[in-house]
Amino acid sequence: MRRGSPTFILTINEGHYNLKETQNLGLLIFNTTIWQVENMNGLIKKINTKKGFTLVELLVVMVIIGLLAALVAPRLFPKLGKGKQSAAKAQIELLGQALDQYRLDVGSYPSTQEGLQALMTNPGVENWDGPYLKKNLPLDSWGKPYLYQQPGGHGEYDLSSYGRDGKVGGEGEDKDVNNWE
């Protein structure tokens, strides 16, 4: 609105509109819609006060997010598998330390028949001073029990996980995790 131009007020009563000249109003708020009064002839212009995004804008943003996810996801998922491999290796190291403590107390490693459970409960041997683990016997990163053999084929004992596939050998996340490698 220009300075010095007259302003008007619009009153609405039972569906009838009255337009009166006033000195201090140029905008009328009615039912949360703002109307700007243009002139005495009753020309009223609705001012758009709704804010938001159009459907096209939302679709463009969704396509961009989809493209970014398609580019990033393949690079992220192999690192997830390496993380599980690293966690299994760390658990095997901790189990190895518990087995070494068992051997210091008892004089030998648990037999294959006694297994890793000998770290938690006394298998009936003298000088057992366990449990040697603070928590329950862990499963590998894929939810399978660790494999223990004594005497081992690669040292005094073998401790391993067959990886994601649960089979000997494999590549990537399916690769075996062993205490001798």
Side-chain angles (χ1 to χ4, degrees):
M1 293 182 67
R2 289 177 253 121
R3 283 185 185 247
S5 63
T7 56
F8 306 92
I9 184 168
L10 177 68
T11 57
I12 301 173
N13 187 11
E14 297 178 9
H16 298 309
Y17 302 94
N18 289 327
L19 192 59
K20 296 179 185 176
E21 187 173 353
T22 182
Q23 294 302 316
N24 46 4
L25 288 180
L27 297 176
L28 172 69
I29 301 176
F30 180 75
N31 286 342
T32 68
T33 302
I34 298 177
W35 302 85
Q36 182 178 4
V37 180
E38 291 289 332
N39 59 34
M40 193 61 169
N41 295 330
L43 181 61
I44 300 171
K45 181 169 89 177
K46 182 177 179 181
I47 299 174
N48 188 4
T49 59
K50 296 181 181 178
K51 295 183 173 131
F53 298 105
T54 66
L55 181 60
V56 173
E57 290 170 330
L58 291 174
L59 289 173
V60 167
V61 168
M62 289 172 46
V63 167
I64 290 170
I65 290 172
L67 289 172
L68 287 173
L71 293 172
V72 171
R75 295 178 187 192
L76 182 64
F77 289 128
K79 291 183 185 347
L80 181 65
K82 288 180 183 177
K84 286 187 174 188
Q85 291 277 331
S86 296
K89 187 71 172 170
Q91 281 185 331
I92 285 176
E93 291 292 325
L94 290 174
L95 288 171
Q97 291 173 1
L99 287 166
D100 291 340
Q101 185 63 43
Y102 177 96
R103 185 186 62 135
L104 288 173
D105 289 346
V106 175
S108 65
Y109 288 107
S111 67
T112 302
Q113 291 77 22
E114 294 168 340
L116 294 174
Q117 193 60 37
L119 299 172
M120 298 303 297
T121 58
N122 188 346
V125 296
E126 289 185 36
N127 299 328
W128 188 87
D129 193 26
Y132 295 94
L133 298 172
K134 292 180 181 179
K135 297 181 180 180
N136 292 334
L137 199 58
L139 298 175
D140 69 10
S141 300
W142 301 274
K144 299 176 182 103
Y146 285 99
L147 305 166
Y148 173 75
Q149 184 178 356
Q150 197 280 328
H154 300 92
E156 294 185 65
Y157 65 88
D158 288 351
L159 187 56
S160 60
S161 166
Y162 285 153
R164 180 181 62 183
D165 64 356
K167 298 176 184 174
V168 176
E171 294 293 323
E173 201 173 344
D174 295 335
K175 185 179 178 188
D176 300 347
V177 182
N178 306 300
N179 69 321
W180 62 86
E181 292 179 340

